[in-house]
Amino acid sequence: MTTWDAESFDRFEREGWAGRSDAYREGFARLTARFVAPLLDAAGVGPGTRLLDVGCGPGPVSAAALRRGAQVTAVDASPEMAALAAAAHPGLDVRVALLDALPFADGEFTAVTGNFVIHHLGDPAAGLAEVHRVLAPGGRAALTCWNQEAMRALALFGEAVAESGVARPAEAPETAPFLAGCDAAERPAAFCRLLDAAGFRDADVETVQLLHRVDPGQWWHDITAGTPVAGTVLHHLDAASRAAVRRVYDRKVAAHAVGDGFVALPAVALLGAATRAG
Ligand SMILES: C[S@@+](CC[C@H](N)C(=O)[O-])C[C@H]1O[C@@H](n2cnc3c(N)ncnc32)[C@H](O)[C@@H]1O
């Protein structure tokens, strides 16, 4: 898939998450969890907030919001992810639903969070319009997305595929539609414009970056077993091609070594927040 086709991308996403929820929770979610506190702060989540957590995955945002005293409803497109969130957080109201077709009335929530979900939509503008619709006037939205190639922890894999010279399978998208075509420096402003276009006011996008300290072999497993694009790419390669990609990955990831066999991988996110006009 080299050109944008929202329906194909959404189909890829639906199929791509299937069977990966346990590996995601055990691996990649340890990284996304580190962005939860700034996300909840940006959404103003506290006691009494009526929060909708979209693309909840195994539920790290919902769980932290419950601990802050919010009333939390969570949705995820993946039945497996929704089941993990429900099992891990008894009492959490979890539904299987798409972000761009939310099964809620207008103005039902005072805050909406989406931790690393908006870039998984074929039509992110439609998702932001739904977030706006279900918020009450004055309600806050906060959403994170990766700042693509600045996000070294993920970019390493794509670069290893490209540099190893193997043919990238057509089934796996090369980039997400969200902010595609912008270079890293332009993305905060482009994210702001998308929030403005959805009808929000006071849109603001900040960059949140950290180092993810991890065993490099574990990280290979975390991204190839627990995320749809890397997993699909590897699945379609023969054993020799997989080994070639792994060799380049091993060489590139070693540049981030910090001792004791661990690496510290830069992870860079954009955190967009905005208010629904009254
Ligand atoms: C990277 S995970 C993030 C999970 C969780 N928010 C976290 O912080 O770890 C992306 C999640 O979004 C879900 N997702 C992808 N597309 C979606 C859509 N259109 N509507 C709702 N959820 C979606 C996936 O099933 C997956 O659970």
Side-chain angles (χ1 to χ4, degrees), residues 1 74 77 97 99 105 109 118-119 181 213 237 253 259:
M1 193 195 303
L99 170 47
F109 300 96
I118 193 70
H119 51 284
R213 183 182 160 87
L237 297 179
V253 80

Side-chain angles (χ1 to χ4, degrees), residues 92-130:
L92 177 65
D93 175 8
V94 191
R95 325 249 180 111
V96 177
L98 293 172
L99 170 47
D100 50 3
L102 292 171
F104 304 108
D106 296 358
E108 211 169 317
F109 300 96
T110 57
V112 177
T113 49
N115 203 28
F116 302 106
V117 60
I118 193 70
H119 51 284
H120 289 288
L121 268 65
D123 184 355
L128 291 177
E130 276 293 84

